[in-house]
Amino acid sequence: MSLHAILPLVALALVPGLVLGAALGLRGWVLAGAAPVLTVGVVGIAGPLVPALGLRWSPATFAGAALVLAAAGTAARLALARVLRSDPPAAEERPYWGPHQHLGVAAGIVVATGTGLWIGWNATQGLTAMPQWWDAFWHMNAVQFIRETGATGPGALQALNNPTTTNFFYPNGFHVLAATLSMLTGIGPVAAIDATVTVLGGAFALGTAALVRACGGRAALAAAAALLSCAFTGFPYDVVAWGPLFPYATGLAVIPGLLALVATLLRRRSGNRVGVPAATAVGALGVLALHPSVLIAALVFAAALLVQESLRRGPRAGDLGASAVVGLIALVLGLPFVLATLGATEGTAVDWAANVTPSDAIGAVLTFGHGQAHPQYWLAGLCLVGLLRRRAVRPMAWFVVAGAVFAGLFVLAASYEGSLVATLTRPWWNDRWRFAALWSLAAVVPAAAGLVTLSDLLTRVLGRLRVLRGVRVALVSSVSLAVLAGLLVVGTEGLYHGRNETRLANAYLTDRSVGPDERRVYDYLARVVPPGQPVMNDPFDGSAAMWALSGVRPLFASPTIEPQELVEMDPDRRILWTSFRDIGRDPAVRAAADRLGVHYVVLGEGFIAGEEHVLGLRRLAGSPGLVLEHVDGAARVYRVAP
């Protein structure tokens, strides 16, 4: 496996967050688990400020922003520590983790990370395959745009398809991070996105282990949760193959790290009254920069944690005060991004058909079989065992309850229509796949608790055998967990890696729309079209990818939902979309093409949606005003005649 992209990405995702987190006083597993979300938080803070200061985004400006924030965090923490009274450590003690237990947790993270890397590497054909489904073209071109321009403002991405739209906003944290990797290593947008997909499992496993630690869970639970985090098809594989929802999947992967900060804040573990709230605010901004709906989901989880903590040790006025401080810090640090989010016009409404019966939807939730031919029986069985022994899951009960809320929303989105259902599911686009991912994310905990419960049972059985008398219980427990984990790996055929690889590979089918013919045509256009000049195209035939693949700017950089988004286009783009074939007969079409600077048009064969080209690009052969310039297999290039 070539590490040309993976190792720099791991460093890029961890180092800025580790530096900032350490400066804010974080330590141990919480520091490590929160590092990815803090890194994205730096992007969320610095992304809007860099262009406002007249600078261009680059790896150097990113590193500089992280260092400035770390220095400011250190100064604020040390200065305010003299004014504010430090909280004493929490009265209750966390379970002791010995060195071998820390190593066991690390081993679970390593196995999950390695499995995710293996699945991602194979599914993306060694980080070379291009995702050829709906949202992928937008994401690839957004990365290419930032790579070319260094523009990271909240509304900068409107240049892709909506240059005249007012109040445009699309969260660009994922794209800025991928573009930074592309700038740093020289790889293209496709490889940068593919690399990001391969490390999602590692970030999720690391954050989950840190969350269990912050909530006072056992090392066995943390190790088992880290190990199982790569096994569920619902997350991250389904939401990458469906969409592909790259920013959403990345946001879910770092939710546990953010919640580890929230748990540390509410439990007063560190006695750090400045650094932990500041880190939590930065993490929240990072999640917002990835996807606002993920932040809403994180708030649901955080609210459940607050309720459980209030029931456990009684409500505290300080909890509300700490939450207010976090919100204030987030507002101050991320004001440009927050204002852009609040001021953006509502996106195109989507109402997916509720075509699943309630019983089937409930069955899919309980057995993790949504969208698959076969349920994940092993994981479902472990969840049942874990939930039957409530003591094993008690420290993380809030996490499971919040996950159950999203499981309920999945059933509603999949099986019911109506205004109430639309209102409840609107922040997640009424999309059952997103709810299934949130439920899978939470289900890691009861599944891990089930594995630990079986391990405890085996330990008690072995403890009664005379041959093991004198052997330390901790050692027997660790061996029991390792043996059962090994049996689980065998029973699931490698933690379902074959099933998950097949699912993820669905996003990278090479014969969907962009084949070798089209790629050669895009390279031809790169030689004849002046830089920056747009080429008329049909985004549904995959030609939007020519920007990310060859640097040729398409007039339509991503698929457009008709008829909703057609009316939002500027008049010139709209007339070319509907009437480009009349360019030799209609002066209005010719004038629109001249204003946009369009002198070439490209057509490919194969569609990501539909079975024919958009209306304005049908029957171009022999059309007055167009000259057939280049043919390569099924791909054609026309030039607008003078």
Side-chain angles (χ1 to χ4, degrees), residues 131-188:
Q132 297 197 41
W133 187 229
W134 196 277
D135 291 3
F137 298 93
W138 167 269
H139 298 311
M140 290 187 298
N141 288 333
V143 173
Q144 177 69 10
F145 170 78
I146 295 171
R147 181 190 185 196
E148 288 182 359
T149 65
T152 55
L157 294 183
Q158 76 175 47
L160 270 67
N161 260 16
N162 306 279
T164 62
T165 301
T166 59
N167 296 327
F168 177 89
F169 169 76
Y170 194 95
N172 63 358
F174 171 84
H175 312 99
V176 173
L177 196 62
T180 307
L181 175 65
S182 180
M183 297 173 186
L184 185 65
T185 61
I187 62 176

Side-chain angles (χ1 to χ4, degrees), residues 183-260:
M183 297 173 186
L184 185 65
T185 61
I187 62 176
V190 172
I193 289 176
D194 290 353
T196 304
V197 168
T198 66
V199 302
L200 290 181
F204 179 42
L206 182 61
T208 301
L211 178 58
V212 174
R213 178 62 168 166
C215 290
R218 295 168 53 189
L221 182 63
L227 177 69
L228 295 178
S229 63
C230 66
F232 288 81
T233 305
F235 176 75
Y237 313 106
D238 268 344
V239 284
V240 171
W242 169 258
L245 305 177
F246 296 128
Y248 184 80
T250 306
L252 293 194
V254 300
I255 273 186
L258 173 61
L259 294 175

Side-chain angles (χ1 to χ4, degrees), residues 2-85:
S2 172
L3 301 180
H4 179 60
I6 300 298
L7 285 182
L9 176 59
V10 172
L12 190 66
L14 291 180
V15 173
L18 288 173
V19 171
L20 178 58
L24 293 174
L26 302 182
R27 299 292 184 267
W29 282 106
V30 172
L31 171 60
V37 76
L38 291 177
T39 293
V40 186
V42 174
V43 172
I45 295 169
L49 294 179
V50 166
L53 295 174
L55 301 175
R56 177 188 174 98
W57 185 270
S58 69
T61 55
F62 181 38
L67 292 175
V68 168
L69 287 172
T74 300
R77 183 169 61 88
L78 295 178
L80 292 175
R82 300 181 179 181
V83 179
L84 299 176
R85 176 180 57 84

Side-chain angles (χ1 to χ4, degrees), residues 567-589:
V567 298
E568 299 173 3
M569 283 185 194
D570 62 274
D572 288 342
R573 278 177 169 75
R574 187 162 59 244
I575 194 172
L576 295 189
W577 180 279
T578 59
S579 308
F580 184 84
R581 64 189 179 196
D582 297 326
I583 194 169
R585 294 183 290 264
D586 189 339
V589 178

Side-chain angles (χ1 to χ4, degrees), residues 8 83 115 172 217 232 239 256 264 306 332 348 357 453 480 489 517:
V83 179
T115 303
N172 63 358
F232 288 81
V239 284
T264 303
L306 178 59
V332 172
T348 302
T357 64
T453 297
S480 299
V489 170
D517 297 350

Side-chain angles (χ1 to χ4, degrees), residues 228-582:
L228 295 178
S229 63
C230 66
F232 288 81
T233 305
F235 176 75
Y237 313 106
D238 268 344
V239 284
V240 171
W242 169 258
L245 305 177
F246 296 128
Y248 184 80
T250 306
L252 293 194
V254 300
I255 273 186
L258 173 61
L259 294 175
L261 293 172
V262 176
T264 303
L265 179 70
L266 293 179
R267 284 175 163 255
R268 310 289 198 271
R269 288 289 188 195
S270 64
N272 182 352
R273 298 188 67 182
V274 178
V276 176
T280 306
V282 172
L285 286 173
V287 172
L288 176 64
L290 288 169
H291 208 289
S293 71
V294 178
L295 180 58
I296 297 175
L299 291 175
V300 173
F301 281 107
L305 173 58
L306 178 59
V307 170
Q308 176 165 317
E309 285 297 297
S310 298
L311 293 175
R312 183 180 63 86
R313 40 77 169 160
R316 293 175 180 170
D319 292 339
L320 297 179
S323 302
V325 170
V326 170
L328 180 61
I329 296 174
L331 183 63
V332 172
L333 293 178
L335 185 61
F337 216 100
V338 173
L339 291 177
T341 306
L342 297 176
T345 55
E346 187 174 354
T348 302
V350 175
D351 185 16
W352 300 99
N355 53 10
V356 179
T357 64
S359 57
D360 286 344
I362 294 173
V365 164
L366 297 178
T367 62
F368 308 103
H370 176 235
Q372 297 290 322
H374 302 286
Q376 293 185 288
Y377 291 115
W378 285 87
L379 299 178
L382 288 177
C383 285
L384 179 60
V385 173
L387 293 175
L388 288 177
R389 189 169 184 258
R390 291 174 294 175
R391 179 182 175 185
V393 79
R394 187 174 298 157
M396 302 287 295
W398 61 273
F399 194 62
V400 181
V401 169
V405 171
F406 293 111
L409 290 176
F410 167 85
V411 174
L412 291 179
S415 306
Y416 294 96
E417 300 283 3
S419 58
L420 178 60
V421 173
T423 300
L424 292 174
T425 60
R426 182 173 292 119
W428 297 274
W429 280 53
N430 186 235
D431 188 354
R432 71 190 69 163
W433 296 92
R434 305 186 197 218
F435 295 123
L438 283 163
W439 165 235
S440 296
L441 181 149
V444 167
V445 169
L451 185 60
V452 172
T453 297
L454 296 177
S455 172
D456 290 344
L457 178 61
L458 179 59
T459 299
R460 286 196 296 271
V461 172
L462 293 176
R464 294 174 181 173
L465 299 178
R466 293 183 178 182
V467 294
L468 293 179
R469 286 184 177 179
V471 180
R472 293 175 56 189
V473 175
L475 178 59
V476 176
S477 177
S478 298
V479 172
S480 299
L481 183 61
V483 169
L484 289 176
L487 293 175
L488 179 66
V489 170
V490 173
T492 57
E493 298 181 345
L495 297 173
Y496 292 107
H497 83 276
R499 165 196 177 110
N500 293 332
E501 180 184 317
T502 300
R503 176 57 177 151
L504 184 60
N506 284 339
Y508 297 91
L509 299 178
T510 56
D511 59 350
R512 179 164 276 159
S513 60
V514 178
D517 297 350
E518 284 84 0
R519 289 202 176 205
R520 288 192 298 267
V521 162
Y522 304 157
D523 292 339
Y524 166 79
L525 287 169
R527 296 192 297 269
V528 301
V529 177
Q533 184 181 100
V535 173
M536 178 62 189
N537 70 300
D538 177 359
F540 293 105
D541 68 9
S543 56
M546 61 185 168
W547 196 355
L549 294 175
S550 302
V552 180
R553 179 141 186 186
L555 189 64
F556 298 100
S558 68
T560 297
I561 301 174
E562 295 186 89
Q564 299 100 313
E565 293 183 2
L566 194 61
V567 298
E568 299 173 3
M569 283 185 194
D570 62 274
D572 288 342
R573 278 177 169 75
R574 187 162 59 244
I575 194 172
L576 295 189
W577 180 279
T578 59
S579 308
F580 184 84
R581 64 189 179 196
D582 297 326

